[in-house]
PDB file of all heavy atoms in Angstrom:
ATOM      1  N   MET F   1     -10.712  14.536  80.213  1.00 94.00           N
ATOM      2  CA  MET F   1      -9.602  15.244  80.843  1.00 94.00           C
ATOM      3  C   MET F   1      -9.888  15.282  82.338  1.00 94.00           C
ATOM      4  O   MET F   1     -10.985  15.665  82.754  1.00 94.00           O
ATOM      5  CB  MET F   1      -9.466  16.664  80.293  1.00 94.00           C
ATOM      6  CG  MET F   1      -8.378  17.487  81.000  1.00 94.00           C
ATOM      7  SD  MET F   1      -8.327  19.207  80.408  1.00 94.00           S
ATOM      8  CE  MET F   1      -7.836  18.970  78.712  1.00 94.00           C
ATOM      9  N   HIS F   2      -8.924  14.879  83.150  1.00 96.00           N
ATOM     10  CA  HIS F   2      -9.074  14.863  84.608  1.00 96.00           C
ATOM     11  C   HIS F   2      -8.225  15.991  85.206  1.00 96.00           C
ATOM     12  O   HIS F   2      -7.050  16.134  84.868  1.00 96.00           O
ATOM     13  CB  HIS F   2      -8.651  13.517  85.184  1.00 96.00           C
ATOM     14  CG  HIS F   2      -9.522  12.381  84.736  1.00 96.00           C
ATOM     15  ND1 HIS F   2     -10.640  11.985  85.426  1.00 96.00           N
ATOM     16  CD2 HIS F   2      -9.439  11.561  83.653  1.00 96.00           C
ATOM     17  CE1 HIS F   2     -11.212  10.978  84.804  1.00 96.00           C
ATOM     18  NE2 HIS F   2     -10.510  10.696  83.726  1.00 96.00           N
ATOM     19  N   VAL F   3      -8.836  16.755  86.110  1.00 96.00           N
ATOM     20  CA  VAL F   3      -8.140  17.859  86.776  1.00 96.00           C
ATOM     21  C   VAL F   3      -8.223  17.636  88.285  1.00 96.00           C
ATOM     22  O   VAL F   3      -9.310  17.424  88.830  1.00 96.00           O
ATOM     23  CB  VAL F   3      -8.759  19.219  86.413  1.00 96.00           C
ATOM     24  CG1 VAL F   3      -7.958  20.359  87.047  1.00 96.00           C
ATOM     25  CG2 VAL F   3      -8.848  19.403  84.898  1.00 96.00           C
ATOM     26  N   THR F   4      -7.083  17.684  88.935  1.00 97.00           N
ATOM     27  CA  THR F   4      -7.016  17.525  90.392  1.00 97.00           C
ATOM     28  C   THR F   4      -6.293  18.733  90.981  1.00 97.00           C
ATOM     29  O   THR F   4      -5.269  19.172  90.442  1.00 97.00           O
ATOM     30  CB  THR F   4      -6.268  16.240  90.785  1.00 97.00           C
ATOM     31  OG1 THR F   4      -6.934  15.111  90.211  1.00 97.00           O
ATOM     32  CG2 THR F   4      -6.209  16.079  92.289  1.00 97.00           C
ATOM     33  N   ALA F   5      -6.811  19.257  92.072  1.00 97.00           N
ATOM     34  CA  ALA F   5      -6.183  20.406  92.723  1.00 97.00           C
ATOM     35  C   ALA F   5      -6.147  20.174  94.227  1.00 97.00           C
ATOM     36  O   ALA F   5      -7.079  19.609  94.809  1.00 97.00           O
ATOM     37  CB  ALA F   5      -6.947  21.686  92.408  1.00 97.00           C
ATOM     38  N   LYS F   6      -5.066  20.609  94.860  1.00 96.00           N
ATOM     39  CA  LYS F   6      -4.968  20.531  96.316  1.00 96.00           C
ATOM     40  C   LYS F   6      -3.927  21.506  96.831  1.00 96.00           C
ATOM     41  O   LYS F   6      -2.971  21.866  96.128  1.00 96.00           O
ATOM     42  CB  LYS F   6      -4.637  19.107  96.781  1.00 96.00           C
ATOM     43  CG  LYS F   6      -3.254  18.613  96.385  1.00 96.00           C
ATOM     44  CD  LYS F   6      -3.012  17.226  96.970  1.00 96.00           C
ATOM     45  CE  LYS F   6      -1.620  16.715  96.620  1.00 96.00           C
ATOM     46  NZ  LYS F   6      -1.353  15.394  97.229  1.00 96.00           N
ATOM     47  N   LEU F   7      -4.133  21.959  98.042  1.00 96.00           N
ATOM     48  CA  LEU F   7      -3.148  22.784  98.730  1.00 96.00           C
ATOM     49  C   LEU F   7      -2.039  21.893  99.275  1.00 96.00           C
ATOM     50  O   LEU F   7      -2.213  20.680  99.412  1.00 96.00           O
ATOM     51  CB  LEU F   7      -3.811  23.571  99.852  1.00 96.00           C
ATOM     52  CG  LEU F   7      -4.787  24.655  99.397  1.00 96.00           C
ATOM     53  CD1 LEU F   7      -5.709  25.070 100.540  1.00 96.00           C
ATOM     54  CD2 LEU F   7      -4.039  25.866  98.867  1.00 96.00           C
ATOM     55  N   THR F   8      -0.907  22.485  99.629  1.00 94.00           N
ATOM     56  CA  THR F   8       0.220  21.689 100.102  1.00 94.00           C
ATOM     57  C   THR F   8       0.181  21.428 101.607  1.00 94.00           C
ATOM     58  O   THR F   8       0.974  20.634 102.109  1.00 94.00           O
ATOM     59  CB  THR F   8       1.554  22.372  99.737  1.00 94.00           C
ATOM     60  OG1 THR F   8       1.574  23.697 100.301  1.00 94.00           O
ATOM     61  CG2 THR F   8       1.700  22.484  98.226  1.00 94.00           C
ATOM     62  N   LYS F   9      -0.725  22.124 102.346  1.00 93.00           N
ATOM     63  CA  LYS F   9      -0.876  21.831 103.776  1.00 93.00           C
ATOM     64  C   LYS F   9      -2.248  22.290 104.236  1.00 93.00           C
ATOM     65  O   LYS F   9      -2.997  22.925 103.486  1.00 93.00           O
ATOM     66  CB  LYS F   9       0.239  22.478 104.608  1.00 93.00           C
ATOM     67  CG  LYS F   9       0.292  23.987 104.546  1.00 93.00           C
ATOM     68  CD  LYS F   9       1.441  24.505 105.408  1.00 93.00           C
ATOM     69  CE  LYS F   9       1.468  26.041 105.429  1.00 93.00           C
ATOM     70  NZ  LYS F   9       2.568  26.563 106.291  1.00 93.00           N
ATOM     71  N   GLN F  10      -2.581  21.970 105.488  1.00 93.00           N
ATOM     72  CA  GLN F  10      -3.924  22.221 106.018  1.00 93.00           C
ATOM     73  C   GLN F  10      -4.098  23.619 106.607  1.00 93.00           C
ATOM     74  O   GLN F  10      -5.130  24.249 106.440  1.00 93.00           O
ATOM     75  CB  GLN F  10      -4.244  21.204 107.132  1.00 93.00           C
ATOM     76  CG  GLN F  10      -4.204  19.760 106.705  1.00 93.00           C
ATOM     77  CD  GLN F  10      -5.518  19.311 106.093  1.00 93.00           C
ATOM     78  OE1 GLN F  10      -6.253  20.105 105.528  1.00 93.00           O
ATOM     79  NE2 GLN F  10      -5.806  18.042 106.203  1.00 93.00           N
ATOM     80  N   VAL F  11      -3.097  24.096 107.337  1.00 94.00           N
ATOM     81  CA  VAL F  11      -3.213  25.335 108.096  1.00 94.00           C
ATOM     82  C   VAL F  11      -2.316  26.401 107.470  1.00 94.00           C
ATOM     83  O   VAL F  11      -1.122  26.160 107.235  1.00 94.00           O
ATOM     84  CB  VAL F  11      -2.820  25.124 109.572  1.00 94.00           C
ATOM     85  CG1 VAL F  11      -2.944  26.426 110.356  1.00 94.00           C
ATOM     86  CG2 VAL F  11      -3.686  24.042 110.206  1.00 94.00           C
ATOM     87  N   TRP F  12      -2.901  27.568 107.221  1.00 96.00           N
ATOM     88  CA  TRP F  12      -2.149  28.680 106.635  1.00 96.00           C
ATOM     89  C   TRP F  12      -2.232  29.883 107.561  1.00 96.00           C
ATOM     90  O   TRP F  12      -3.158  30.020 108.347  1.00 96.00           O
ATOM     91  CB  TRP F  12      -2.712  29.034 105.257  1.00 96.00           C
ATOM     92  CG  TRP F  12      -2.566  27.905 104.281  1.00 96.00           C
ATOM     93  CD1 TRP F  12      -3.498  26.960 103.965  1.00 96.00           C
ATOM     94  CD2 TRP F  12      -1.401  27.560 103.545  1.00 96.00           C
ATOM     95  NE1 TRP F  12      -2.995  26.055 103.064  1.00 96.00           N
ATOM     96  CE2 TRP F  12      -1.711  26.401 102.781  1.00 96.00           C
ATOM     97  CE3 TRP F  12      -0.132  28.114 103.437  1.00 96.00           C
ATOM     98  CZ2 TRP F  12      -0.788  25.800 101.931  1.00 96.00           C
ATOM     99  CZ3 TRP F  12       0.785  27.514 102.585  1.00 96.00           C
ATOM    100  CH2 TRP F  12       0.461  26.377 101.839  1.00 96.00           C
ATOM    101  N   GLN F  13      -1.226  30.752 107.401  1.00 97.00           N
ATOM    102  CA  GLN F  13      -1.147  31.942 108.239  1.00 97.00           C
ATOM    103  C   GLN F  13      -1.477  33.168 107.407  1.00 97.00           C
ATOM    104  O   GLN F  13      -0.951  33.346 106.307  1.00 97.00           O
ATOM    105  CB  GLN F  13       0.267  32.052 108.818  1.00 97.00           C
ATOM    106  CG  GLN F  13       0.390  32.937 110.036  1.00 97.00           C
ATOM    107  CD  GLN F  13       1.751  32.777 110.688  1.00 97.00           C
ATOM    108  OE1 GLN F  13       2.783  32.902 110.061  1.00 97.00           O
ATOM    109  NE2 GLN F  13       1.744  32.480 111.984  1.00 97.00           N
ATOM    110  N   SER F  14      -2.363  34.012 107.921  1.00 97.00           N
ATOM    111  CA  SER F  14      -2.700  35.244 107.225  1.00 97.00           C
ATOM    112  C   SER F  14      -1.438  36.079 107.001  1.00 97.00           C
ATOM    113  O   SER F  14      -0.620  36.231 107.904  1.00 97.00           O
ATOM    114  CB  SER F  14      -3.720  36.034 108.042  1.00 97.00           C
ATOM    115  OG  SER F  14      -4.020  37.251 107.425  1.00 97.00           O
ATOM    116  N   GLY F  15      -1.297  36.613 105.786  1.00 96.00           N
ATOM    117  CA  GLY F  15      -0.100  37.364 105.426  1.00 96.00           C
ATOM    118  C   GLY F  15       0.949  36.522 104.749  1.00 96.00           C
ATOM    119  O   GLY F  15       1.916  37.046 104.183  1.00 96.00           O
ATOM    120  N   ASP F  16       0.789  35.197 104.799  1.00 96.00           N
ATOM    121  CA  ASP F  16       1.741  34.275 104.181  1.00 96.00           C
ATOM    122  C   ASP F  16       1.342  34.042 102.719  1.00 96.00           C
ATOM    123  O   ASP F  16       0.502  34.741 102.159  1.00 96.00           O
ATOM    124  CB  ASP F  16       1.755  32.962 104.973  1.00 96.00           C
ATOM    125  CG  ASP F  16       3.048  32.177 104.778  1.00 96.00           C
ATOM    126  OD1 ASP F  16       3.843  32.548 103.906  1.00 96.00           O
ATOM    127  OD2 ASP F  16       3.240  31.186 105.502  1.00 96.00           O
ATOM    128  N   VAL F  17       1.946  33.028 102.101  1.00 97.00           N
ATOM    129  CA  VAL F  17       1.642  32.655 100.720  1.00 97.00           C
ATOM    130  C   VAL F  17       1.195  31.204 100.706  1.00 97.00           C
ATOM    131  O   VAL F  17       1.935  30.309 101.126  1.00 97.00           O
ATOM    132  CB  VAL F  17       2.869  32.841  99.805  1.00 97.00           C
ATOM    133  CG1 VAL F  17       2.556  32.341  98.393  1.00 97.00           C
ATOM    134  CG2 VAL F  17       3.288  34.299  99.750  1.00 97.00           C
ATOM    135  N   ALA F  18      -0.044  30.948 100.266  1.00 97.00           N
ATOM    136  CA  ALA F  18      -0.541  29.575 100.133  1.00 97.00           C
ATOM    137  C   ALA F  18      -0.018  28.980  98.834  1.00 97.00           C
ATOM    138  O   ALA F  18       0.169  29.687  97.838  1.00 97.00           O
ATOM    139  CB  ALA F  18      -2.064  29.556 100.152  1.00 97.00           C
ATOM    140  N   LYS F  19       0.224  27.667  98.853  1.00 96.00           N
ATOM    141  CA  LYS F  19       0.764  26.993  97.669  1.00 96.00           C
ATOM    142  C   LYS F  19      -0.219  25.934  97.195  1.00 96.00           C
ATOM    143  O   LYS F  19      -0.664  25.091  97.965  1.00 96.00           O
ATOM    144  CB  LYS F  19       2.125  26.379  97.995  1.00 96.00           C
ATOM    145  CG  LYS F  19       3.167  27.441  98.346  1.00 96.00           C
ATOM    146  CD  LYS F  19       4.491  26.841  98.770  1.00 96.00           C
ATOM    147  CE  LYS F  19       5.475  27.951  99.160  1.00 96.00           C
ATOM    148  NZ  LYS F  19       6.765  27.386  99.636  1.00 96.00           N
ATOM    149  N   LEU F  20      -0.541  26.017  95.916  1.00 97.00           N
ATOM    150  CA  LEU F  20      -1.563  25.177  95.301  1.00 97.00           C
ATOM    151  C   LEU F  20      -0.951  24.362  94.166  1.00 97.00           C
ATOM    152  O   LEU F  20      -0.104  24.864  93.412  1.00 97.00           O
ATOM    153  CB  LEU F  20      -2.684  26.064  94.751  1.00 97.00           C
ATOM    154  CG  LEU F  20      -3.810  25.388  93.975  1.00 97.00           C
ATOM    155  CD1 LEU F  20      -4.736  24.644  94.931  1.00 97.00           C
ATOM    156  CD2 LEU F  20      -4.588  26.430  93.169  1.00 97.00           C
ATOM    157  N   ARG F  21      -1.382  23.115  94.050  1.00 96.00           N
ATOM    158  CA  ARG F  21      -0.960  22.258  92.941  1.00 96.00           C
ATOM    159  C   ARG F  21      -2.172  21.899  92.092  1.00 96.00           C
ATOM    160  O   ARG F  21      -3.221  21.539  92.622  1.00 96.00           O
ATOM    161  CB  ARG F  21      -0.306  20.981  93.472  1.00 96.00           C
ATOM    162  CG  ARG F  21       1.038  21.219  94.152  1.00 96.00           C
ATOM    163  CD  ARG F  21       1.574  19.954  94.781  1.00 96.00           C
ATOM    164  NE  ARG F  21       2.826  20.206  95.476  1.00 96.00           N
ATOM    165  CZ  ARG F  21       3.378  19.388  96.364  1.00 96.00           C
ATOM    166  NH1 ARG F  21       2.749  18.246  96.679  1.00 96.00           N
ATOM    167  NH2 ARG F  21       4.523  19.690  96.951  1.00 96.00           N
ATOM    168  N   ILE F  22      -1.987  21.984  90.774  1.00 96.00           N
ATOM    169  CA  ILE F  22      -3.023  21.571  89.825  1.00 96.00           C
ATOM    170  C   ILE F  22      -2.424  20.514  88.900  1.00 96.00           C
ATOM    171  O   ILE F  22      -1.410  20.776  88.236  1.00 96.00           O
ATOM    172  CB  ILE F  22      -3.551  22.760  89.007  1.00 96.00           C
ATOM    173  CG1 ILE F  22      -4.175  23.814  89.931  1.00 96.00           C
ATOM    174  CG2 ILE F  22      -4.585  22.291  87.976  1.00 96.00           C
ATOM    175  CD1 ILE F  22      -4.630  25.065  89.218  1.00 96.00           C
ATOM    176  N   ILE F  23      -3.022  19.342  88.900  1.00 95.00           N
ATOM    177  CA  ILE F  23      -2.528  18.228  88.078  1.00 95.00           C
ATOM    178  C   ILE F  23      -3.577  17.925  87.013  1.00 95.00           C
ATOM    179  O   ILE F  23      -4.750  17.701  87.331  1.00 95.00           O
ATOM    180  CB  ILE F  23      -2.259  16.987  88.940  1.00 95.00           C
ATOM    181  CG1 ILE F  23      -1.256  17.314  90.052  1.00 95.00           C
ATOM    182  CG2 ILE F  23      -1.762  15.819  88.089  1.00 95.00           C
ATOM    183  CD1 ILE F  23      -1.180  16.281  91.139  1.00 95.00           C
ATOM    184  N   ILE F  24      -3.147  17.916  85.751  1.00 94.00           N
ATOM    185  CA  ILE F  24      -4.057  17.666  84.634  1.00 94.00           C
ATOM    186  C   ILE F  24      -3.606  16.426  83.868  1.00 94.00           C
ATOM    187  O   ILE F  24      -2.432  16.293  83.515  1.00 94.00           O
ATOM    188  CB  ILE F  24      -4.113  18.878  83.683  1.00 94.00           C
ATOM    189  CG1 ILE F  24      -4.668  20.104  84.419  1.00 94.00           C
ATOM    190  CG2 ILE F  24      -4.969  18.564  82.447  1.00 94.00           C
ATOM    191  CD1 ILE F  24      -4.671  21.375  83.588  1.00 94.00           C
ATOM    192  N   THR F  25      -4.540  15.522  83.663  1.00 94.00           N
ATOM    193  CA  THR F  25      -4.306  14.363  82.807  1.00 94.00           C
ATOM    194  C   THR F  25      -5.204  14.518  81.579  1.00 94.00           C
ATOM    195  O   THR F  25      -6.429  14.343  81.658  1.00 94.00           O
ATOM    196  CB  THR F  25      -4.630  13.049  83.543  1.00 94.00           C
ATOM    197  OG1 THR F  25      -3.879  12.998  84.756  1.00 94.00           O
ATOM    198  CG2 THR F  25      -4.286  11.848  82.677  1.00 94.00           C
ATOM    199  N   ASN F  26      -4.579  14.894  80.479  1.00 92.00           N
ATOM    200  CA  ASN F  26      -5.341  15.220  79.272  1.00 92.00           C
ATOM    201  C   ASN F  26      -5.300  14.066  78.285  1.00 92.00           C
ATOM    202  O   ASN F  26      -4.303  13.847  77.599  1.00 92.00           O
ATOM    203  CB  ASN F  26      -4.782  16.497  78.639  1.00 92.00           C
ATOM    204  CG  ASN F  26      -5.684  17.028  77.538  1.00 92.00           C
ATOM    205  OD1 ASN F  26      -6.675  16.397  77.172  1.00 92.00           O
ATOM    206  ND2 ASN F  26      -5.336  18.195  77.004  1.00 92.00           N
ATOM    207  N   ASN F  27      -6.383  13.318  78.210  1.00 91.00           N
ATOM    208  CA  ASN F  27      -6.487  12.205  77.254  1.00 91.00           C
ATOM    209  C   ASN F  27      -7.279  12.594  76.008  1.00 91.00           C
ATOM    210  O   ASN F  27      -7.698  11.728  75.235  1.00 91.00           O
ATOM    211  CB  ASN F  27      -7.166  11.012  77.933  1.00 91.00           C
ATOM    212  CG  ASN F  27      -6.358  10.492  79.105  1.00 91.00           C
ATOM    213  OD1 ASN F  27      -5.140  10.371  79.026  1.00 91.00           O
ATOM    214  ND2 ASN F  27      -7.029  10.204  80.217  1.00 91.00           N
ATOM    215  N   THR F  28      -7.513  13.887  75.833  1.00 91.00           N
ATOM    216  CA  THR F  28      -8.285  14.354  74.689  1.00 91.00           C
ATOM    217  C   THR F  28      -7.345  14.912  73.619  1.00 91.00           C
ATOM    218  O   THR F  28      -6.130  14.996  73.805  1.00 91.00           O
ATOM    219  CB  THR F  28      -9.274  15.446  75.114  1.00 91.00           C
ATOM    220  OG1 THR F  28      -8.561  16.679  75.337  1.00 91.00           O
ATOM    221  CG2 THR F  28     -10.002  15.062  76.396  1.00 91.00           C
ATOM    222  N   ASP F  29      -7.948  15.354  72.522  1.00 89.00           N
ATOM    223  CA  ASP F  29      -7.184  15.993  71.443  1.00 89.00           C
ATOM    224  C   ASP F  29      -7.290  17.518  71.525  1.00 89.00           C
ATOM    225  O   ASP F  29      -6.846  18.219  70.617  1.00 89.00           O
ATOM    226  CB  ASP F  29      -7.722  15.522  70.079  1.00 89.00           C
ATOM    227  CG  ASP F  29      -7.585  14.015  69.901  1.00 89.00           C
ATOM    228  OD1 ASP F  29      -6.579  13.462  70.395  1.00 89.00           O
ATOM    229  OD2 ASP F  29      -8.490  13.397  69.311  1.00 89.00           O
ATOM    230  N   VAL F  30      -7.882  18.007  72.619  1.00 92.00           N
ATOM    231  CA  VAL F  30      -8.077  19.450  72.776  1.00 92.00           C
ATOM    232  C   VAL F  30      -7.129  19.973  73.849  1.00 92.00           C
ATOM    233  O   VAL F  30      -7.004  19.378  74.925  1.00 92.00           O
ATOM    234  CB  VAL F  30      -9.540  19.762  73.164  1.00 92.00           C
ATOM    235  CG1 VAL F  30      -9.746  21.268  73.278  1.00 92.00           C
ATOM    236  CG2 VAL F  30     -10.503  19.174  72.145  1.00 92.00           C
ATOM    237  N   ASN F  31      -6.475  21.084  73.566  1.00 92.00           N
ATOM    238  CA  ASN F  31      -5.526  21.664  74.503  1.00 92.00           C
ATOM    239  C   ASN F  31      -6.219  22.587  75.508  1.00 92.00           C
ATOM    240  O   ASN F  31      -7.311  23.104  75.252  1.00 92.00           O
ATOM    241  CB  ASN F  31      -4.458  22.466  73.755  1.00 92.00           C
ATOM    242  CG  ASN F  31      -3.516  21.569  72.967  1.00 92.00           C
ATOM    243  OD1 ASN F  31      -3.127  20.501  73.442  1.00 92.00           O
ATOM    244  ND2 ASN F  31      -3.158  21.995  71.766  1.00 92.00           N
ATOM    245  N   VAL F  32      -5.537  22.783  76.626  1.00 94.00           N
ATOM    246  CA  VAL F  32      -5.976  23.768  77.622  1.00 94.00           C
ATOM    247  C   VAL F  32      -5.548  25.146  77.142  1.00 94.00           C
ATOM    248  O   VAL F  32      -4.390  25.347  76.749  1.00 94.00           O
ATOM    249  CB  VAL F  32      -5.359  23.464  78.999  1.00 94.00           C
ATOM    250  CG1 VAL F  32      -5.710  24.559  79.999  1.00 94.00           C
ATOM    251  CG2 VAL F  32      -5.825  22.108  79.505  1.00 94.00           C
ATOM    252  N   SER F  33      -6.478  26.106  77.158  1.00 93.00           N
ATOM    253  CA  SER F  33      -6.131  27.464  76.708  1.00 93.00           C
ATOM    254  C   SER F  33      -5.762  28.378  77.876  1.00 93.00           C
ATOM    255  O   SER F  33      -4.894  29.240  77.742  1.00 93.00           O
ATOM    256  CB  SER F  33      -7.278  28.082  75.912  1.00 93.00           C
ATOM    257  OG  SER F  33      -8.432  28.239  76.723  1.00 93.00           O
ATOM    258  N   ARG F  34      -6.405  28.178  79.036  1.00 93.00           N
ATOM    259  CA  ARG F  34      -6.068  29.030  80.183  1.00 93.00           C
ATOM    260  C   ARG F  34      -6.575  28.390  81.479  1.00 93.00           C
ATOM    261  O   ARG F  34      -7.493  27.566  81.463  1.00 93.00           O
ATOM    262  CB  ARG F  34      -6.655  30.437  80.040  1.00 93.00           C
ATOM    263  CG  ARG F  34      -8.160  30.492  80.060  1.00 93.00           C
ATOM    264  CD  ARG F  34      -8.677  31.929  79.893  1.00 93.00           C
ATOM    265  NE  ARG F  34     -10.129  31.997  79.922  1.00 93.00           N
ATOM    266  CZ  ARG F  34     -10.897  31.860  78.860  1.00 93.00           C
ATOM    267  NH1 ARG F  34     -10.347  31.613  77.665  1.00 93.00           N
ATOM    268  NH2 ARG F  34     -12.214  31.947  78.969  1.00 93.00           N
ATOM    269  N   ILE F  35      -5.953  28.802  82.576  1.00 95.00           N
ATOM    270  CA  ILE F  35      -6.369  28.387  83.918  1.00 95.00           C
ATOM    271  C   ILE F  35      -6.569  29.653  84.741  1.00 95.00           C
ATOM    272  O   ILE F  35      -5.653  30.477  84.865  1.00 95.00           O
ATOM    273  CB  ILE F  35      -5.316  27.474  84.580  1.00 95.00           C
ATOM    274  CG1 ILE F  35      -5.082  26.210  83.737  1.00 95.00           C
ATOM    275  CG2 ILE F  35      -5.760  27.088  85.989  1.00 95.00           C
ATOM    276  CD1 ILE F  35      -3.951  25.349  84.237  1.00 95.00           C
ATOM    277  N   THR F  36      -7.765  29.821  85.283  1.00 96.00           N
ATOM    278  CA  THR F  36      -8.089  31.000  86.091  1.00 96.00           C
ATOM    279  C   THR F  36      -8.226  30.578  87.553  1.00 96.00           C
ATOM    280  O   THR F  36      -8.926  29.611  87.864  1.00 96.00           O
ATOM    281  CB  THR F  36      -9.390  31.659  85.612  1.00 96.00           C
ATOM    282  OG1 THR F  36      -9.278  31.954  84.217  1.00 96.00           O
ATOM    283  CG2 THR F  36      -9.657  32.940  86.375  1.00 96.00           C
ATOM    284  N   ILE F  37      -7.554  31.319  88.425  1.00 97.00           N
ATOM    285  CA  ILE F  37      -7.541  30.987  89.859  1.00 97.00           C
ATOM    286  C   ILE F  37      -7.978  32.219  90.645  1.00 97.00           C
ATOM    287  O   ILE F  37      -7.462  33.320  90.437  1.00 97.00           O
ATOM    288  CB  ILE F  37      -6.133  30.548  90.303  1.00 97.00           C
ATOM    289  CG1 ILE F  37      -5.644  29.376  89.446  1.00 97.00           C
ATOM    290  CG2 ILE F  37      -6.116  30.163  91.775  1.00 97.00           C
ATOM    291  CD1 ILE F  37      -4.165  29.160  89.508  1.00 97.00           C
TER     292      ILE F  37
END
C-alpha cells in the first residue's frame, strides 16, 4: 500500500486553514481502518 501526502502550497498564514491531500494506492486485501492527523 502506497501513501502520499502533501500540502497544497508552500507558504501559510497563521490564523488561516492549511489544506492537506492524502493519496492512497491500496494493492492489498486489507482495508484502511483510520487516518490520524
